[in-house]
Amino acid sequence: VNNGFGVTGVAYNSTIMPVRVLGPNGGTAAGVAAGIVYAVNNGADVINLSLGGVGGPDSATAVASDNAALLGTTVVASAGNSGPGEGTVGAPAAGRHVIAVG
């Protein structure tokens, strides 16, 4: 791509919209849901939630990710690695319209 660095990503024409939903001491499910809504309202095509441990399943995050999917936004989230057992997917990755990655 002639960027002068010799390397490039696979989506070099992409735009990134950083949205902070966690602070130095963590965050809340309501904060994550608000971040999803903000990203969707500002044109995000894909939302990456590389986070976990914001509590169990909650309606705010579930509704926000469901609405994102209905509006054509793909939501991807970390499955988490502190669940009660193997094969357990934590929130928000356990959402109905969320792609969980491990």
Side-chain angles (χ1 to χ4, degrees):
V1 297
N2 296 325
N3 64 3
F5 295 105
V7 295
T8 186
V10 294
Y12 53 85
N13 285 324
S14 297
T15 302
I16 295 175
M17 175 195 320
V19 178
R20 185 174 183 162
V21 298
L22 302 176
N25 297 315
T28 65
V32 173
I36 293 170
V37 171
Y38 176 87
V40 170
N41 288 343
N42 286 279
D45 295 317
V46 178
I47 296 173
N48 172 37
L49 297 168
S50 295
L51 54 85
V54 292
D58 70 282
S59 61
T61 303
V63 168
S65 60
D66 287 349
N67 287 338
L70 289 172
L71 294 169
T73 301
T74 301
V75 180
V76 181
S78 168
N81 53 6
S82 61
E86 186 175 319
T88 302
V89 177
R96 175 176 43 200
H97 294 106
V98 179
I99 300 170
V101 296

